[in-house]
Structures are given as structure tokens and as C-alpha cells.
């Protein structure tokens, strides 16, 4: 394992294709593979975030009750310097865009989806002066 898991915040995403999820997060969002046991499980790391990619055969997916197994509204939140450039880059790469860029008091963001439909928020904070 390449990272001290005790120093990381971990989030579990249930995915239907672990290799596709690894490819998505490492190719498009700058994660690196910590461990990989496809097709059941992998974990990828970006900074202090450890993303657990749990396929259907993993214990993390199997423990989920049937009435809670669908996609939720939760998502990871990745900060970027230029949300417009990031959206353009991801769109050119064929990533599924799930929203337009929305502005609010804290910044600007848009949503993309991983191959399993899990949401990822790409966020540019408002400059504080």
C-alpha cells in the first residue's frame, strides 16, 4: 500500500466495474492506485482522500441493504483552480457531464459521473481578497 490509510479520509463508492472505475479516477482526476483486487475492490488516493471502489463481489457492496443500494446524492468534492478549463478538458476526454457550471457565494461547480454513475463535484472556490 502506497499511503498510510490512518492519515486519509476514506469514502466508499459502490461501482459495477472496478477496472473502469480505476481507469476513470486515475486518467481523468489525478488519483493513484493504492491497492487493486479487481473485479472485487480497489482503492485510489488523491491527496488526503482515499476512495474505496467496491465492486459487486466486495464486502462493502454485499453489506449494503437492498433498500439502500441505489445511487444517492452524496459525492466527493474536488477543488480545482479553473473550473471552466477543467470542464472543457473533461468534456474533450468524453467524461459524462451531469450539470452545467453553477455559481454560488462560495464558488463555481459542476458535476460529472464516474462509469457507475457516482457523482463527482468539480469546484472552484471564490477568490477571497
Amino acid at each position: 500500500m502506497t499511503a498510510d490509510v490512518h492519515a486519509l479520509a476514506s469514502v466508499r463508492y459502490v461501482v459495477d466495474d472496478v477496472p473502469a472505475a480505476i481507469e476513470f479516477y486515475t486518467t481523468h482526476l489525478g488519483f493513484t492506485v493504492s491497492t487493486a483486487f479487481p473485479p472485487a475492490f480497489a482503492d485510489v488516493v488523491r491527496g488526503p482522500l482515499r476512495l474505496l471502489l467496491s465492486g459487486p463481489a466486495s464486502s462493502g457492496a454485499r453489506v449494503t441493504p437492498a433498500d439502500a443500494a441505489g445511487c444517492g446524492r452524496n459525492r466527493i468534492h474536488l477543488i480545482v483552480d479553473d473550473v471552466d478549463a477543467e470542464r472543457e478538458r473533461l468534456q474533450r476526454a468524453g467524461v459524462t457531464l451531469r450539470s452545467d457550471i453553477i455559481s454560488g457565494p462560495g464558488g463555481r461547480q459542476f458535476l460529472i459521473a464516474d462509469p457507475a454513475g457516482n457523482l463527482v463535484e468539480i469546484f472552484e472556490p471564490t477568490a477571497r481578497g
Side-chain angles (χ1 to χ4, degrees):
M1 182 166 285
T2 60
D4 176 8
V5 297
H6 300 291
L8 303 174
S10 295
V11 174
R12 183 180 311 280
Y13 270 177
V14 175
V15 300
D16 53 4
D17 184 336
V18 170
I22 293 169
E23 176 71 16
F24 176 83
Y25 285 99
T26 59
T27 299
H28 300 298
L29 299 176
F31 283 80
T32 58
V33 175
S34 180
T35 59
F37 302 101
F41 175 82
D43 63 328
V44 293
V45 176
R46 176 180 163 171
L49 174 60
R50 177 178 175 232
L51 189 56
L52 311 172
L53 304 171
S54 298
S58 70
S59 60
R62 289 182 290 124
V63 74
T64 306
D67 64 348
C71 290
R73 294 172 48 140
N74 297 321
R75 58 189 175 253
I76 61 171
H77 171 99
L78 302 177
I79 296 175
V80 298
D81 293 327
D82 184 340
V83 78
D84 297 295
E86 196 65 14
R87 187 176 196 283
E88 183 178 319
R89 181 186 73 80
L90 292 167
Q91 186 172 28
R92 278 195 318 267
V95 170
T96 301
L97 302 174
R98 293 298 313 269
S99 76
D100 292 326
I101 296 174
I102 303 297
S103 296
R108 301 170 63 228
Q109 68 264 356
F110 67 96
L111 300 177
I112 61 175
D114 75 7
N118 293 303
L119 296 176
V120 177
E121 180 178 327
I122 308 299
F123 180 81
E124 177 187 347
T126 299
R128 305 284 183 210

